Amino acid sequence: MDAKNKQKKLSLGILLILIAATLSSLGQLAWKFGADGTGSYSIILYVLGFIAAGAGMFFMMAAFRYGEVSILQPMMSLGFALSIVLGAIFLNESITWYKLVGTGFIIAGSILLGIEGNEDTI
């Protein structure tokens, strides 16, 4: 496979894994709202959370078709970074310096993995 085609496949894999991480985070947010709710509203949120998380798993499996697991799977950690932002926006959770530093490491690691995926192997 030529380098240009390999790069296109990896880019698609990265896009799919980012969609998977986003859906996973949204599913978890729905579960949190469901846990805090009552009655049928709570059940609907749980179901929506399962649908979002399930769709996230589907996108993750599809992403593995287009890239290396050693590059794509760690990028799912971006969902943790997104969860911190969603928690602050929708749940009034505090963002501490420790969370910011940890999130920075997650993002930096994902960027490095994306760059590493473009390099030739040794």
Side-chain angles (χ1 to χ4, degrees), residues 28-83:
Q28 292 169 19
L29 182 65
W31 290 335
K32 172 62 176 162
F33 280 129
D36 292 343
T38 58
S40 61
Y41 174 74
S42 178
I43 294 170
I44 291 170
L45 287 172
Y46 278 128
V47 170
L48 288 174
F50 280 114
I51 291 170
M57 284 294 171
F58 172 78
F59 277 97
M60 183 178 69
M61 289 183 289
F64 290 155
R65 182 175 185 182
Y66 299 104
E68 298 176 22
V69 174
S70 61
I71 293 171
L72 296 176
Q73 179 59 39
M75 287 187 172
M76 280 295 290
S77 298
L78 289 172
F80 296 124
L82 181 59
S83 293

Side-chain angles (χ1 to χ4, degrees), residues 4-54:
K4 186 177 179 181
N5 200 14
K6 183 179 177 183
Q7 176 59 35
K8 281 185 178 182
K9 285 184 76 173
L10 179 62
S11 296
L12 179 58
I14 290 172
L15 175 65
L16 291 172
I17 210 76
L18 292 176
I19 292 170
T22 301
L23 287 170
S24 176
S25 292
L26 291 174
Q28 292 169 19
L29 182 65
W31 290 335
K32 172 62 176 162
F33 280 129
D36 292 343
T38 58
S40 61
Y41 174 74
S42 178
I43 294 170
I44 291 170
L45 287 172
Y46 278 128
V47 170
L48 288 174
F50 280 114
I51 291 170

Side-chain angles (χ1 to χ4, degrees), residues 71-115:
I71 293 171
L72 296 176
Q73 179 59 39
M75 287 187 172
M76 280 295 290
S77 298
L78 289 172
F80 296 124
L82 181 59
S83 293
I84 290 171
V85 173
L86 293 175
I89 292 171
F90 294 106
L91 303 171
N92 295 320
E93 294 179 355
S94 63
I95 297 180
T96 64
W97 282 105
Y98 290 111
K99 288 179 185 177
L100 285 175
V101 171
T103 302
F105 281 126
I106 290 170
I107 293 169
S110 294
I111 290 170
L112 289 173
L113 286 169
I115 291 170

